[in-house]
Amino acid sequence: MQVPSDAEILDAFGVTPETEDEPWIKVVRVEDVVLSFDEHAASVRLRWFQGGEPVVDLYREGASRLLVRSGRGESYAVVEFTDGELAVRIHPSVRITSRHD
């Protein structure tokens, strides 16, 4: 799985990825959204919280690429899979879309 550099994540979201128990798993926390990814296992997990409660908790394996982008007041992550993609806009408000072929 291709992943962005820490510098690209910092540029897009203003935060540096953290590591947890397993150093190869990176976690990006931006306001109420937590995106974690495992480059070796090609997996991603997206959690969105409101008032401390999880509203969305998605986990998928088989990711081929994770992209982060920002510009024109928006920042978002796109996870590409062989059968579609998961897009998460974080700014100016959270919007999650999923497309499967």
Side-chain angles (χ1 to χ4, degrees):
M1 173 172 131
Q2 295 177 350
V3 298
S5 68
D6 290 356
E8 290 172 305
I9 293 171
L10 177 62
D11 186 49
F13 301 122
V15 298
T16 302
E18 305 166 10
T19 57
E20 292 194 340
D21 295 336
E22 295 87 8
W24 55 89
I25 298 176
K26 294 197 175 181
V27 180
V28 179
R29 299 175 198 278
V30 183
E31 298 173 14
D32 296 330
V33 176
V34 178
L35 176 67
S36 56
F37 56 95
D38 182 335
E39 181 178 359
H40 302 297
S43 64
V44 295
R45 183 177 185 192
L46 168 71
R47 290 176 286 163
W48 177 27
F49 296 86
Q50 286 186 341
E53 294 291 320
V55 183
V56 174
D57 189 347
L58 301 173
Y59 175 81
R60 282 200 64 193
E61 295 178 333
S64 56
R65 183 165 61 162
L66 169 63
L67 305 163
V68 294
R69 299 187 179 134
S70 64
R72 298 190 338 208
E74 293 187 332
S75 62
Y76 53 97
V78 177
V79 184
E80 296 178 346
F81 301 89
T82 57
D83 65 345
E85 73 177 24
L86 172 66
V88 184
R89 184 184 72 186
I90 297 175
H91 287 103
S93 60
V94 176
R95 184 178 76 200
I96 301 167
T97 57
S98 181
R99 178 185 56 79
H100 299 280
D101 297 333

